Amino acid sequence: MKLDTYAAQAAAIKKPLHKSLFFQIFVAVVAGILIGYLWPSIGAGLRPLGDGFIQLIKMIIAPLIFLVIVTGIAAVGDVKAVGRVGVKALLYFTGATLFALAFGLVVANIVQPGAGLNIDPSTLSQDALKAKTGTAPPSDAGQFILGIIPTSVIGAFASNNLLQVLCFSVFFGAAIVVIGKDRCAPVMKVLDTILEVFFKIMGWVMRLAPIGAFGAMAFIIGQYGLSTLGTYALLIVACYGAAIVFIGLLFVIAWGLVRVPLWQFIKYTREEFLLALGTASTESVLPRIMTKLTDAGCSRSTAGLVVPTGYSFNLDGAAIYLSISLLFLAQAFGHHLDLGQQLAALGILMLTSKGMAGVPGSAFLALSATAGALGIFPVAGVALLLGADRLMDSMRVVVNLLGNCVATFVVAKWEGQFDREAMLRAFSGDKPAAEGGPINAGNLAVQAAGTRS
């Protein structure tokens, strides 16, 4: 069937505007901004709406990741292929993070967002910073790696530790492949049925997305106000300007390496991006973005491995923010970092920025660890960013999410597990799984086996 036919079918069954999730979330975000601005106390009190929606999403994330990865690996039927996907994803993540950090440093050197502030270190207190991050020191690289291995499978699911869940899921899926599909057929039948149940639950939860976006946006504006924009104007301009340029580079990478028209992909996933913006959280869209990527031609195993791993290892937006903020603080205290110091900071940020997703105050922990290691300005100076941090959420969320989506396309193409025709059909409106549930097992088996684009 030709693509224009798919487009005609999609137009024929197009939902009314008021029933569109994108429209509902957009209206909710605008209403949240107005409530937070006009009645700040009311807006600040609406936080439970946003937090409640995020908790509902977190309720299904861990089991959903487990089910998607296990069934995806079983469909591939090749443990070595899964290992290659993991290695290639980590290589891509390392390169992308390193580039994002270096790019942020270049932008900060050009814009000089903290120059002329002349902050007196004696006026600083670390109490506010401790309240944001807690007193636990950042883990070193060795502790972080050990933290990926769960000491208890039940504990990994209970604490919603996505990296530990992913680690166990890979072992579970690999064991099914080694034992054999025939012997494990009863187990796979149960897992496929449970996966369908979780997709149904996800559909119900997503109906509450506008309420969650409304509460989260009202809280952010009501609690922090718009006056903070003036105080940190140059820092905000530097971060958002860098994000726009970086997104442009992602467009080039997506088209140059995978022939993915990223603008069409953003249009295809506009509901997820708007929801992530409204809730200031990429976790709120993790299940749906994995489904959308699978529908758009990436194998289920690749999407299941790359996206959750990227939430901890490929935070491009956070990396840009960290490097610009580090130089902002150094400049605010009157320090000029030479090339050697900036390269040292780059290396430290590469280590301290990993595993940031889902950790409260993680950006401040990473900056605190870097400041302590460099010894250039007092660690308490990181508290200067408390007022601007929430204003950076939109930048971080969009770049993080888009960066992980591009990474999934690149790795899927790299592994020969990308179906460009399926992507074009999805972009034209023929996307059965995104709206109605998981893709059927037959299509998944064919797709995961490695369709060539």
Side-chain angles (χ1 to χ4, degrees):
M1 188 178 293
K2 295 181 180 180
L3 292 182
D4 56 352
T5 306
Y6 282 115
Q9 289 181 345
I13 60 173
K14 189 176 181 181
K15 293 180 179 179
L17 183 62
H18 68 278
K19 291 186 177 181
S20 165
L21 183 61
F22 176 81
F23 177 76
Q24 292 173 1
I25 295 174
F26 178 78
V27 172
V29 168
V30 172
I33 293 173
L34 291 175
I35 293 294
Y37 178 72
L38 297 175
W39 301 284
S41 59
I42 295 177
L46 293 175
R47 180 174 185 173
L49 295 178
D51 289 350
F53 174 74
I54 297 296
Q55 286 180 224
L56 284 172
I57 291 291
K58 288 184 175 181
M59 175 181 70
I60 62 174
I61 281 180
L64 195 58
I65 286 176
F66 169 77
L67 293 165
V68 167
I69 292 176
V70 171
T71 54
I73 291 175
V76 172
D78 184 355
V79 176
K80 291 183 179 180
V82 174
R84 287 198 308 269
V85 169
V87 171
K88 290 176 180 178
L90 290 176
L91 287 174
Y92 180 92
F93 294 159
T94 301
T97 302
L98 183 62
F99 179 82
L101 288 169
F103 180 66
L105 289 176
V106 171
V107 171
N109 277 290
I110 294 173
V111 179
Q112 298 282 314
L117 293 182
N118 299 318
I119 303 297
D120 183 1
S122 64
T123 63
L124 300 174
S125 171
Q126 202 163 357
D127 293 340
L129 185 61
K130 287 182 178 179
K132 180 72 175 180
T133 62
T135 56
S139 300
D140 58 32
Q143 289 176 311
F144 172 69
I145 293 172
L146 289 176
I148 297 175
I149 305 171
T151 55
S152 165
V153 173
I154 296 175
F157 281 89
S159 61
N160 229 21
N161 190 315
L162 299 189
L163 285 179
Q164 292 185 356
V165 170
L166 188 146
C167 178
F168 172 70
S169 303
V170 170
F171 276 102
F172 196 98
I176 289 177
V177 172
V178 173
I179 293 172
K181 290 183 180 180
D182 293 338
R183 291 182 61 188
C184 294
V187 175
M188 290 305 303
K189 185 176 181 180
V190 171
L191 292 178
D192 282 331
T193 302
I194 296 175
L195 179 58
E196 189 171 352
V197 170
F198 270 93
F199 270 104
K200 178 60 68 175
I201 295 173
M202 184 179 73
W204 291 340
V205 172
M206 289 306 298
R207 293 181 182 179
L208 302 176
I211 298 175
F214 168 73
M217 188 57 67
F219 164 73
I220 291 173
I221 302 300
Q223 180 72 24
Y224 297 95
L226 298 176
S227 59
T228 314
L229 289 171
T231 308
Y232 298 94
L234 200 53
L235 175 62
I236 293 169
V237 168
C239 288
Y240 276 86
I244 292 172
V245 176
F246 191 85
I247 289 173
L249 294 175
L250 290 178
F251 270 74
V252 174
I253 292 171
W255 182 253
L257 297 182
V258 200
R259 308 299 286 180
V260 172
L262 207 54
W263 178 250
Q264 290 187 38
F265 174 75
I266 293 174
K267 183 180 178 181
Y268 166 63
T269 54
R270 59 188 181 275
E271 295 172 355
E272 287 72 29
F273 274 91
L274 185 58
L275 179 59
L277 280 171
T279 58
S281 170
T282 52
E283 282 189 336
S284 64
V285 298
L286 191 152
R288 278 182 55 109
I289 207 68
M290 288 167 59
T291 305
K292 286 286 185 78
L293 285 165
T294 303
D295 292 344
C298 299
S299 71
R300 185 200 270 185
S301 60
T302 301
L305 283 170
V306 176
V307 176
T309 308
Y311 269 49
S312 285
F313 285 93
N314 191 43
L315 302 173
D316 297 331
I320 292 172
Y321 169 68
L322 286 175
S323 53
I324 293 178
S325 296
L326 182 70
L327 284 195
F328 166 80
L329 292 172
Q331 293 161 5
F333 287 105
H335 296 288
H336 173 73
L337 303 188
D338 58 31
L339 180 60
Q341 290 173 313
Q342 292 193 34
L343 290 176
L346 187 66
I348 296 170
L349 284 173
M350 276 292 293
L351 295 175
T352 57
S353 63
K354 297 305 179 187
M356 286 173 54
V359 180
S362 54
F364 297 100
L365 285 172
L367 284 171
S368 298
T370 307
L374 292 174
I376 298 172
F377 56 85
V379 174
V382 178
L384 292 173
L385 294 170
L386 289 173
D389 185 68
R390 290 305 295 263
L391 299 175
M392 304 296 181
D393 280 339
S394 297
M395 180 275 289
R396 288 190 297 239
V397 161
V398 170
V399 178
N400 288 346
L401 186 57
L402 192 59
N404 280 320
C405 292
V406 171
T408 306
F409 280 119
V410 170
V411 175
K413 173 71 173 181
W414 201 352
E415 268 297 291
Q417 296 184 15
F418 173 62
D419 185 349
R420 193 166 189 273
E421 291 301 319
M423 176 197 73
L424 294 175
R425 288 196 299 270
F427 289 178
S428 68
D430 182 43
K431 46 185 189 303
E435 299 296 336
I439 299 175
N440 68 71
N443 288 343
L444 279 171
V446 172
Q447 188 184 54
T451 53
R452 304 284 173 176
S453 61

